[in-house]
């Protein structure tokens, strides 16, 4: 009997730890403890660790009064852990609990979720459905930053600037970010002084020191501070030769070199720019083309300038002019004539038009198959369009040469009559032409007509005294005959 009692006591003693252990395990994994554990981890922002106990709590107590709270923490954890289904989970939560006190924050998290998916219009709609000022200070600032960026991404720079400035005034965390974006917006609005003032302090900022030099250099170039633009570009290319903005820095360096008339350096910089940018800026190609022209590389000058003639503006007009000048150097007069004709057809810059028209007239004169034809017409047109041109005397000399050498006096006289303001050389030629016409009429026994021409030659004046004297003598002799 004693043995039985002894064995029973021993068995009881041996089983006691097992029973105690089971009771302890049940206590630890009870729904209340699971909820507390999950909630504590959630508040500590340990979202990955908080998820399992919260899910276990919901499985054990599907109808518990704390279920709504637990599910809220779960969907928020999914968002924080960048779960690909977080937007769906957040929306489902709102549908299940439309009166949740967390609705405002859920809207904000949904907006942020759409923001990170680059769905900025959807994000804006949800941000505007939330009251961001009711969020905690840190989260409010985070969401305000995303809101401002949404406006910027959707092209509403005015609203973006307002929100960035609002955030900059209240958040030290986003002070530099806001300063950068406000300056960028001012840059896009061509408010360069304000932009430069904001960019300069960010040059040593680790996040922005590889970004802001481009805008600083570009603003200096726009302001024609080419010495400063050159220094910023050179320093940047030394520090970040492979950076994505290196191409633009080579362009700015080429721009500065071009304006300093360092054309060989400009060519090197622009060619480095073209190697890195498949869609180069039009003004860069223009300056590269003119740099080729200035260094005597005429074939490349004509080819490069031909790429910038798509618009109807002064840049295109000057490009055509220098294409024509380049083709002249290459002895391709027909191509030169066509380029000059294009430049002369534009009224963008009247000085360029004048130079182009003159060169076009010369090309016509030198390539014309008719001794008295198209060249006379273009010379007449030039003198009528540009009566006070620096080229007037030279054009007049060409016309006089044609008038007198071709002996087409009637045609020459009609040509002179079409010139509104003939100069001295033209009037001298007219006096001689009238005398020659009088001589021809005399030879043809048309004496009255001869007298008329001689008198007109005399009436012109003292442009050529010898011609006047000869005409006067001829008229007198015929009158007294």
């Amino acid at each position: 009997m004693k043995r039985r009692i002894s064995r029973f006591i021993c068995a009881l003693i041996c089983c006691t730890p097992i029973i105690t252990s089971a009771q302890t395990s049940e206590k630890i994994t009870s729904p209340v403890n699971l909820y507390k554990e999950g909630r504590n981890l959630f508040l500590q922002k340990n979202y990955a660790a908080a998820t399992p106990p919260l899910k276990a709590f919901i499985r054990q107590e599907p109808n518990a009064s704390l279920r709504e709270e637990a599910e809220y923490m779960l969907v928020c954890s999914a968002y924080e852990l960048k779960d690909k289904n977080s937007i769906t989970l957040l929306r489902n939560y709102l549908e299940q609990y439309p009166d949740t006190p967390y609705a405002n924050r859920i809207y904000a998290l949904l907006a942020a979720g759409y923001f990170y998916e680059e769905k900025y219009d959807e994000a804006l709609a949800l941000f505007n459905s939330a009251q961001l000022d009711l969020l905690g200070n840190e989260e409010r600032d985070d969401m305000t930053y995303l809101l401002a960026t949404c406006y910027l991404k959707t092209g509403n720079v005015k609203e973006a600037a307002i929100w960035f400035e609002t955030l900059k005034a209240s958040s030290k965390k986003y002070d530099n970010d806001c300063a950068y974006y406000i300056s960028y917006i001012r840059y896009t609005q061509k408010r360069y002084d304000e932009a430069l003032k904001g960019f300069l302090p960010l040059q040593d900022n680790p996040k922005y020191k590889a970004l802001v030099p481009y805008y600083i250099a570009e603003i200096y170039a726009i302001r024609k501070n080419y010495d400063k633009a050159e220094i910023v570009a050179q320093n940047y290319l030394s520090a970040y030769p492979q950076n994505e903005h290196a191409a633009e820095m080579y362009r700015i360096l080429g721009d500065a070199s071009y304006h300093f008339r360092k054309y060989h350096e400009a060519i090197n910089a622009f060619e480095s720019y073209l190697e890195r940018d498949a869609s180069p800026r039009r003004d860069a190609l223009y300056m590269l083309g003119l740099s080729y022209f200035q260094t005597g590389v005429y074939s490349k000058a004509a080819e490069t300038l031909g790429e910038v003639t798509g618009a109807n503006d002064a840049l295109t007009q000057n490009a055509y002019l220098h294409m024509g000048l380049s083709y002249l150097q290459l002895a391709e007069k027909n191509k030169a004539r066509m380029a000059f004709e294009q430049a002369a057809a534009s009224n963008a810059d009247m000085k360029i038009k004048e130079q182009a028209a003159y060169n076009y007239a010369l090309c016509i004169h030198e390539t014309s198959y008719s001794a008295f034809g198209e060249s006379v017409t273009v010379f007449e047109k030039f003198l009528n369009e540009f009566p006070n041109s620096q080229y007037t005397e030279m054009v007049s000399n060409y016309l006089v040469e044609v008038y007198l050498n071709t002996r087409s006096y009637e045609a020459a006289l009609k040509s002179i009559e079409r010139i509104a303001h003939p100069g001295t050389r033209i009037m001298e030629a007219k006096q001689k032409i009238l005398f020659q016409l009088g001589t021809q009429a005399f030879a043809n026994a048309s004496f009255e007509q001869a007298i008329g021409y001689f008198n007109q030659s005399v009436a012109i004046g003292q442009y050529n005294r010898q011609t006047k004297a000869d005409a006067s003598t001829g008229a007198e002799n015929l009158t007294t005959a």
Side-chain angles (χ1 to χ4, degrees), residues 171-183:
S171 172
K172 187 175 181 180
K173 175 183 176 181
Y174 288 104
D175 183 65
N176 289 327
D177 298 295
C178 292
Y180 172 78
Y181 283 112
I182 292 167
S183 299

Side-chain angles (χ1 to χ4, degrees), residues 92-296:
N92 289 342
Y93 180 84
L94 278 178
E95 288 178 8
Q96 188 172 355
Y97 304 105
D99 298 323
T100 175
Y102 301 113
N104 187 59
R105 183 164 189 264
I106 296 292
Y107 279 124
L109 295 183
L110 275 169
Y114 281 118
F115 174 88
Y116 292 121
E117 289 188 355
E118 299 183 4
K119 296 177 180 178
Y120 301 115
D121 289 322
E122 291 91 332
L124 271 177
L126 286 161
F127 274 131
N128 290 323
S129 297
Q131 292 179 276
L132 301 185
D133 56 315
L134 297 181
L135 300 173
N137 289 345
E138 183 178 356
E139 192 165 49
R140 176 201 64 206
D141 291 346
D142 292 342
M143 295 299 176
T144 302
Y145 179 71
L146 298 185
L147 171 62
T149 307
C150 268
Y151 277 119
L152 183 62
K153 293 287 188 180
T154 54
N156 191 341
V157 294
K158 183 178 179 181
E159 199 69 24
I162 291 171
W163 282 105
F164 279 126
E165 287 174 342
T166 300
L167 182 59
K168 190 176 189 301
S170 61
S171 172
K172 187 175 181 180
K173 175 183 176 181
Y174 288 104
D175 183 65
N176 289 327
D177 298 295
C178 292
Y180 172 78
Y181 283 112
I182 292 167
S183 299
Y184 170 76
I185 290 169
R186 299 301 176 232
Y187 171 84
T188 64
Q189 295 171 328
K190 299 184 179 181
R191 294 160 64 174
Y192 297 120
D193 291 337
E194 294 174 61
L196 185 62
K197 185 178 179 181
F199 282 133
L200 286 173
L202 296 173
Q203 291 181 98
D204 298 322
N205 182 277
K207 185 176 180 179
Y208 294 109
K209 65 181 181 181
L211 294 174
V212 298
Y214 160 68
Y215 296 105
I216 292 171
E218 180 75 344
I219 291 169
Y220 282 142
I222 291 168
R223 293 294 192 207
K224 303 189 186 304
N225 293 330
Y226 297 114
D227 51 345
K228 291 183 178 180
E230 184 178 49
I231 291 169
V232 174
Q234 287 173 338
N235 290 342
Y236 185 89
L237 290 169
S238 296
Y240 309 104
Q242 302 304 322
N243 188 278
E244 61 178 313
H245 291 294
E248 289 299 313
M249 284 304 200
Y250 276 116
R251 177 185 60 76
I252 293 169
L253 186 60
D255 190 347
S257 298
Y258 171 82
H259 284 94
F260 284 134
R261 299 186 180 183
K262 298 187 291 187
Y263 297 114
H264 287 288
E265 293 179 28
I267 290 171
N268 291 335
F270 282 130
E271 287 181 344
S272 295
Y273 164 62
L274 293 184
E275 289 172 4
R276 292 164 173 81
D277 194 327
S279 301
R281 278 176 40 163
R282 182 168 171 250
D283 60 339
L285 289 172
Y286 171 77
M287 287 184 280
L288 174 59
L290 290 184
S291 295
Y292 282 135
F293 178 83
Q294 294 293 343
T295 53

Side-chain angles (χ1 to χ4, degrees), residues 266-445:
I267 290 171
N268 291 335
F270 282 130
E271 287 181 344
S272 295
Y273 164 62
L274 293 184
E275 289 172 4
R276 292 164 173 81
D277 194 327
S279 301
R281 278 176 40 163
R282 182 168 171 250
D283 60 339
L285 289 172
Y286 171 77
M287 287 184 280
L288 174 59
L290 290 184
S291 295
Y292 282 135
F293 178 83
Q294 294 293 343
T295 53
V297 188
Y298 299 114
S299 57
K300 285 189 174 183
E303 179 184 357
T304 306
L305 290 171
E307 296 182 47
V308 305
T309 56
N312 183 19
D313 57 13
L315 191 148
T316 289
Q317 186 185 30
N318 199 37
Y320 272 125
L321 171 66
H322 283 84
M323 285 171 65
L325 295 173
S326 296
Y327 284 130
L328 283 183
Q329 295 294 331
L330 297 168
E332 297 186 48
K333 289 187 177 180
N334 282 329
K335 288 184 178 180
R337 175 180 57 78
M338 289 187 286
F340 289 136
E341 184 177 20
Q342 291 293 330
S346 171
N347 293 322
D349 185 318
M350 296 307 291
K351 283 292 183 184
I352 301 295
K353 181 183 180 74
E354 178 185 332
Q355 187 179 356
Y358 170 69
N359 280 283
Y360 172 67
L362 287 188
C363 285
I364 291 294
H365 178 62
E366 292 171 5
T367 59
S368 176
Y369 294 104
S370 170
F372 196 104
E374 191 179 1
S375 61
V376 170
T377 303
V378 293
F379 282 139
E380 287 174 14
K381 182 181 178 182
F382 180 87
L383 291 177
N384 283 327
E385 281 195 64
F386 307 101
N388 301 314
S389 171
Q390 60 177 315
Y391 306 110
T392 296
E393 185 175 351
M394 288 178 280
V395 170
S396 297
N397 288 338
Y398 283 120
L399 268 176
V400 168
E401 178 186 333
V402 174
Y403 291 157
L404 299 181
N405 289 347
T406 59
R407 298 188 179 185
S408 300
Y409 299 126
E410 290 285 356
L413 188 61
K414 289 178 181 177
S415 170
I416 292 172
E417 296 299 334
R418 289 192 292 268
I419 299 172
H421 304 284
T424 300
R425 290 283 289 130
I426 299 295
M427 291 303 294
E428 181 182 356
K430 183 178 182 179
Q431 191 169 40
K432 291 181 178 179
I433 288 167
L434 286 167
F435 175 75
Q436 293 297 333
L437 285 169
T439 302
Q440 286 182 351
F442 175 79
N444 293 327

